[in-house]
Amino acid sequence: MTEELIIAGFGGQGVLLTGKLLCVAAMRQGKQVSHIPSYGAEMRGGTANCSVVISDEEIASPVIEKPSIVIALNGPSVAKFEPRVRPGGLLIWNSSLVKNPPTRKDLVLVSLDATDLSLSEGTERAANMAAIGALLKLKPGIVSVDAVEAALDEVISARNRKHNPVNLRILHAGFEKTHKVDAA
Amino acid sequence: MSEKVLMKGNEALAEAAVIAGCRHYFAYPITPQNEIPAYMSRRMPEVGGTFLQAESELAAISMVLGAAAGGVRAMTSSSSPGISLKQEGISYIAGSELPCVLVNIMRGGPGLGAIAGAQGDYFQATRGGGNGDYRTIVLAPGSAQELADFTIEAFDLADEYRMPVMILADGYIGQMSEPVVLPKPSGKSFEKPWALTGAKGRKKNIICSMKLIPDTALEEHNLRLQEKYDLITEKVHRVDTYMTDDADWLVVAYGTSARIARKAVDRLRGEGIKAGLFRPLTLWPFPEKELFEVGSKVQKILTVEMSLGQMVEDVKLTMNGEVEVDFHGRAGGAVPALDDIIERINGYERENHTHVQAS
Amino acid sequence: MSVKTIPMYKRPESLSDVRTHYCAGCGHGIIHKLIAEVLDELELREKTIVIAPVGCSVLIYNYLEVDGLEAAHGRAPAVATGIKRARPEMLVISYQGDGDLLAIGTGETVHAANRGEDISVIFVNNAIYGMTGGQLAPTTLVGQKTLTSPAGRNSADVGFPIRACEMLDTLEAPAYIERTSVHNPGAIRKTKKAIFKALKYQKEGRGYSFVEILSMCPTNWGVQPPEAADWVKSDMVPWYPLKKFRDRPADEDADKEKAS
């Protein structure tokens, strides 16, 4: 198993944290992981993003040309990364914010009203948690829900740990709302 | 502390420097190594050390020179254009025979270039970017773990040979977060009777690179430095080889390029093609003996770099015409594509078959 | 009858017993000796590190019986910062000329002063580059002829001579700033007092001290030594007034005395 994920959104949507959370969880489950923030030429175009590789094997480059999975938390991220997903790959997109939905026929396209799910818990900052919930439902092989829950305390700074119960509720809401889909 | 933690390469390096006993760190901000000064600005006060953001790279390296002359472990870090500025001080430190650790988290050039990772400073690092006849030991880590491990070794090598040791990594290695087990201190200690601690109960110590008297002093100094460099060339070379025992095709690469090359070797082996990887961990001294031993048994060598051909010159010098040396490189922050490396070696295989059929 | 000899004058212990390489009438020898005398008086010889600049005084470590360290051109304050941070118990002197301190090393000069590094900078201003053969310095006077200003310094072209003390006096951190001269015995005595203060303040950990010393370069000015000394007084002093710009430790001590 090797998954190459790009997580993208506005600054402040917790993009880097999402990547780190998945990495720490997968690392604790004995997987090889790498995480690199949007960097260099990647930084243009109104999105913050990070690249995450999770694998059973040693990881070659942390830089991803053609991701197998993209989580797009805003419109510019869909515009930027939809063309780059490898055929047959997965694109999870935030229908709360994205006005122009993705259109590719050779991808698994999964929409989730991630920001609305977050707002229903009184914050607009945890759409990333809903998206993680969707990812865990669709790709249970990457990392388990339990491992992500355990990793939350490791990744979130002590100052913000009080929000973890809310984060978890939003994550589970995303998980419940997402339905398994067949490959494209 | 032996637990695996997810750490950014730059931060793993910074913590390793602290573990190695470095308490004096001077630097000037530049991307993509800003996590190192940020980390040190928090960490140094905790361990009673000095973090100082200098007014320039020129000042930062001169502060390192001053601290090193005081006999302490000192370090600076920067990225390509900043390292260009530090060359003045590096040359003085080499000439003054002072130990220190320099970190270059490389970005694309020339000039201001761009902040994405690259390997275009190989010549500058291994040939000596400053003036005069001197060398710098250059270590080439390929992961966050190696950034940490090599930092421990860099301080020991610097103290052992009284010279600057450079850690040369592309920006991706510094920026990437990976699982790291923080290293332990080496436990080695070094006497520094030459350090400037006050001329009390001994003659005064003078540390300088200028050698005027007698007329032959500078040449003698150069010859003595050369003896040291010869000794290092004999003793300090590190390599990592992967699937080279029966290889037909050998890829030579370091840093991020080597990580991709290793994956290419796996894929090619899966197709029954005998590829192998030779990864130099010291770029100066270049591991000539080891490369020649492996390289002279293969049909062709492919050097892969994130530059348009720098280390390939050392590979050619080493092989000295014994085996054909080919090159694949990307520049300006681009990373070699896995498929391109695989395709290149598949091409060698096809060519080989054609030759065999024709003969 | 026994005769007891009391030496009235002797070589300071901190001054090396070597032949000078400086030209006749040069001020460096005088200033080196003043530093040596002060180091003896403050009993600091065994705790001192002198930073040699690039310039005529690049060999200062040959004249002082203290540990010596060479800096790249202009970087002496940065080198001094490095070693002071590594060895805070040592007395660190950054000895610099005008090209070193105000041209190639302006950045290092300003920032070490601005940080209030606990070092003493001895700045020898002779209005010309000596070691390289008499080129225009940042402190060359308007109209002064040099190898690279053969028609005299033209302020419309290369600007006016920089006043280091005045510039540093705009900064908050420095503790002590004074300009003196070595053109006659009276001036030399005042210079010694200034050096004494600077090193004493550093010994007491009271912060950054800066002493600018107007000095002679007969060789590159193309005049005889007596004329050179006269020229310092007649031409340099009007542009570079001899003055104490700041003496915060003395002010603090006075305040303390008043309070008690």
Side-chain angles (χ1 to χ4, degrees):
Chain A
M1 189 278 299
T2 297
E3 294 288 1
E4 298 185 325
L5 295 88
I6 288 179
I7 302 146
F10 292 126
Q13 281 187 307
V15 162
L16 294 185
L17 182 81
T18 306
K20 205 170 170 198
L21 183 62
L22 291 171
C23 278
V24 169
M27 176 176 82
R28 296 278 169 247
Q29 287 198 303
K31 298 266 198 311
Q32 303 284 332
V33 300
S34 78
H35 171 263
I36 191 164
S38 55
Y39 177 57
E42 295 291 318
M43 276 178 76
R44 294 183 212 116
T47 74
N49 66 79
C50 69
S51 300
V52 167
V53 185
I54 297 174
S55 179
D56 297 321
E57 302 160 28
E58 262 186 57
I59 292 162
S61 171
V63 182
I64 301 170
E65 290 171 74
K66 294 173 190 146
S68 56
I69 301 169
V70 165
I71 297 174
L73 293 172
N74 67 358
S77 300
V78 171
K80 182 169 179 175
F81 291 108
E82 185 190 359
R84 275 176 57 182
V85 187
R86 73 179 69 148
L90 168 65
L91 172 59
I92 300 171
W93 57 285
N94 181 4
S95 56
S96 309
L97 297 181
V98 175
K99 291 202 181 83
N100 300 311
T103 55
R104 271 176 65 182
K105 301 277 183 276
D106 59 341
L107 301 181
V108 177
L109 302 175
V110 175
S111 73
L112 180 73
D113 51 349
T115 301
D116 291 319
L117 287 175
S118 177
L119 281 168
S120 69
E121 288 287 348
T123 173
E124 60 173 355
R125 297 174 62 92
N128 58 334
M129 291 294 153
I132 290 174
L135 176 73
L136 297 180
K137 182 69 151 289
L138 296 163
K139 295 275 181 181
I142 296 179
V143 64
S144 73
V145 178
D146 289 348
V148 172
E149 286 192 15
L152 256 183
D153 280 340
E154 193 176 336
V155 171
I156 307 271
S157 63
R159 192 162 50 91
N160 289 320
R161 229 164 265 162
K162 59 178 183 288
H163 302 305
N164 279 356
V166 173
N167 283 330
L168 279 176
R169 281 203 297 277
I170 298 170
L171 186 150
H172 282 287
F175 187 90
E176 295 306 328
K177 219 175 169 185
T178 305
H179 302 287
K180 290 238 170 209
V181 231
D182 294 329
Chain B
M1 195 162 146
S2 60
E3 201 201 348
K4 231 184 223 185
V5 281
L6 187 75
M7 273 186 111
K8 208 170 223 205
N10 285 336
E11 292 178 344
L13 176 146
E15 183 55 32
V18 172
I19 292 168
C22 174
R23 293 293 178 272
H24 291 83
Y25 171 83
F26 307 93
Y28 186 86
I30 183 172
T31 310
Q33 62 83 55
N34 288 321
E35 294 79 10
I36 304 174
Y39 191 92
M40 289 305 205
S41 69
R42 283 197 311 272
R43 195 73 175 99
M44 279 300 178
E46 287 174 4
V47 294
T50 293
F51 161 82
L52 185 57
Q53 181 172 318
E55 60 270 28
S56 70
E57 302 288 3
L58 297 161
I61 189 74
S62 281
M63 289 171 188
V64 167
L65 184 151
V72 303
R73 287 191 153 180
M75 180 170 98
T76 186
S77 62
S78 189
S79 179
S80 308
I83 296 291
S84 295
L85 287 167
K86 288 193 200 293
Q87 295 302 329
E88 172 189 79
I90 296 172
S91 174
Y92 275 76
I93 290 168
S96 304
E97 292 193 82
L98 287 170
C100 72
V101 172
L102 316 161
V103 181
N104 182 358
I105 305 296
M106 285 181 281
R107 55 191 261 176
L112 198 52
I115 62 172
Q119 297 179 323
D121 303 348
Y122 181 94
F123 283 155
Q124 186 195 52
T126 60
R127 267 56 180 172
N131 64 297
D133 231 341
Y134 76 93
R135 294 289 188 175
T136 308
I137 295 174
V138 183
L139 305 178
S143 63
Q145 183 68 56
E146 284 185 352
L147 270 175
D149 295 345
F150 289 13
T151 300
I152 302 282
E153 188 174 13
F155 278 102
D156 284 346
L157 286 168
D159 278 344
E160 185 172 355
Y161 295 106
R162 285 181 61 183
M163 63 189 285
V165 175
M166 178 176 280
I167 295 170
L168 187 74
D170 58 77
Y172 299 111
I173 302 288
Q175 284 296 313
M176 172 176 33
S177 296
E178 281 188 310
V180 173
V181 178
L182 284 170
K184 292 196 163 49
S186 70
K188 291 184 189 170
S189 66
F190 298 85
E191 294 296 313
K192 299 183 176 179
W194 45 264
L196 305 186
T197 55
K200 188 177 183 181
R202 60 157 169 78
K203 284 190 166 178
K204 62 182 173 183
N205 280 342
I206 293 168
I207 295 177
C208 63
S209 65
M210 192 167 80
K211 313 283 170 184
L212 293 179
I213 303 160
D215 289 348
T216 53
L218 185 56
E219 186 174 25
E220 281 163 15
H221 178 57
N222 270 287
L223 289 170
R224 220 166 38 73
L225 287 178
Q226 190 55 47
E227 262 175 44
K228 175 162 84 177
Y229 300 148
D230 288 344
L231 179 70
I232 295 166
T233 306
E234 199 182 297
K235 287 177 70 175
V236 184
H237 21 103
R238 318 255 189 278
V239 302
D240 174 32
T241 56
Y242 182 63
M243 309 281 243
T244 53
D245 285 351
D246 61 342
D248 290 329
W249 318 108
L250 184 68
V251 185
V252 182
Y254 69 101
T256 294
S257 302
R259 297 171 66 112
I260 301 162
R262 188 182 162 111
K263 184 68 63 172
V265 167
D266 282 340
R267 292 278 172 83
L268 287 159
R269 286 276 171 173
E271 294 164 24
I273 294 168
K274 290 179 176 172
L277 171 67
F278 184 94
R279 182 166 72 104
L281 305 180
T282 52
L283 300 181
W284 192 87
F286 193 73
E288 293 177 356
K289 201 175 107 237
E290 291 83 353
L291 176 59
F292 191 83
E293 206 174 292
V294 174
S296 53
K297 290 179 197 146
V298 305
Q299 300 196 44
K300 200 189 255 192
I301 293 173
L302 174 66
T303 306
V304 178
E305 296 178 57
M306 281 145 63
S307 84
L308 295 183
Q310 299 196 11
M311 183 178 72
V312 65
E313 292 193 3
D314 278 336
V315 176
K316 284 181 175 170
L317 280 168
T318 300
M319 298 317 297
N320 201 17
E322 189 80 14
V323 168
E324 194 186 334
V325 177
D326 196 6
F327 176 75
H328 174 68
R330 298 290 302 275
V335 172
L338 181 62
D339 290 347
D340 289 347
I341 301 172
I342 292 169
E343 180 44 36
R344 190 70 77 98
I345 289 173
N346 272 325
Y348 302 158
E349 276 277 331
R350 286 195 296 273
E351 208 175 293
N352 202 34
H353 280 293
T354 323
H355 281 289
V356 173
Q357 279 165 1
S359 58
Chain C
M1 195 179 80
S2 70
V3 177
K4 202 173 166 196
T5 316
I6 302 166
M8 298 296 290
Y9 182 81
K10 60 172 185 168
R11 174 186 298 282
E13 260 181 49
S14 300
L15 194 67
S16 306
D17 187 6
V18 292
R19 207 171 259 248
T20 183
H21 81 289
Y22 292 115
C23 305
C26 170
H28 278 306
I30 299 168
I31 299 163
H32 288 10
K33 199 187 85 176
L34 295 179
I35 292 173
E37 286 176 0
V38 171
L39 290 177
D40 279 13
E41 287 164 24
L42 289 170
E43 297 181 334
L44 286 170
R45 189 192 70 78
E46 293 175 336
K47 299 186 77 174
T48 296
I49 294 164
V50 65
I51 315 293
V54 172
C56 283
S57 50
V58 66
L59 292 172
I60 188 172
Y61 46 66
N62 285 348
Y63 297 104
L64 295 178
E65 283 303 293
V66 302
D67 280 0
L69 178 57
E70 165 201 273
H73 199 15
R75 316 289 170 240
V79 170
T81 298
I83 196 154
K84 186 72 184 189
R85 299 279 181 132
R87 297 260 165 215
E89 73 282 9
M90 303 297 292
L91 185 99
V92 178
I93 301 172
S94 179
Y95 188 103
Q96 300 177 258
D98 39 54
D100 195 77
L101 186 130
L102 275 178
I104 197 164
T106 315
E108 286 77 4
T109 296
V110 171
H111 286 276
N114 192 48
R115 287 190 300 267
E117 291 293 340
D118 207 357
I119 60 171
S120 303
V121 175
I122 307 294
F123 168 38
V124 180
N125 177 2
N126 58 14
I128 203 156
Y129 281 66
M131 193 201 215
T132 46
Q135 291 86 353
L136 179 93
T139 53
T140 294
L141 296 181
V142 172
Q144 187 186 340
K145 288 179 179 167
T146 71
L147 195 63
T148 51
S149 59
R153 180 179 191 136
N154 174 1
S155 58
D157 190 32
V158 296
F160 292 87
I162 302 175
R163 297 183 179 104
C165 289
E166 285 83 343
M167 186 172 78
L168 296 182
D169 196 30
T170 65
L171 303 174
E172 194 58 37
Y176 173 60
I177 303 171
E178 181 158 4
R179 181 185 292 122
T180 65
S181 171
V182 289
H183 68 277
N184 67 30
I188 291 171
R189 274 195 295 275
K190 282 185 187 156
T191 297
K192 183 174 170 184
K193 276 187 193 150
I195 294 172
F196 186 93
K197 245 183 196 178
L199 301 191
K200 179 169 164 283
Y201 288 157
Q202 190 187 156
K203 187 185 180 186
E204 294 167 358
R206 302 181 77 165
Y208 177 89
S209 50
F210 184 85
V211 181
E212 173 175 352
I213 304 167
L214 305 185
S215 182
M216 298 76 66
C217 182
T219 299
N220 286 300
W221 293 352
V223 297
Q224 292 299 312
E227 284 172 64
D230 290 345
W231 192 79
V232 170
K233 192 175 178 207
S234 63
D235 288 64
M236 286 185 76
V237 171
W239 185 264
Y240 300 113
L242 304 181
K243 188 177 154 186
K244 192 189 294 169
F245 291 84
R246 186 182 300 186
D247 192 345
R248 192 175 294 148
D251 297 344
E252 285 168 1
D253 290 348
D255 286 351
K256 236 181 259 168
E257 222 159 272
K258 234 182 267 169
S260 64

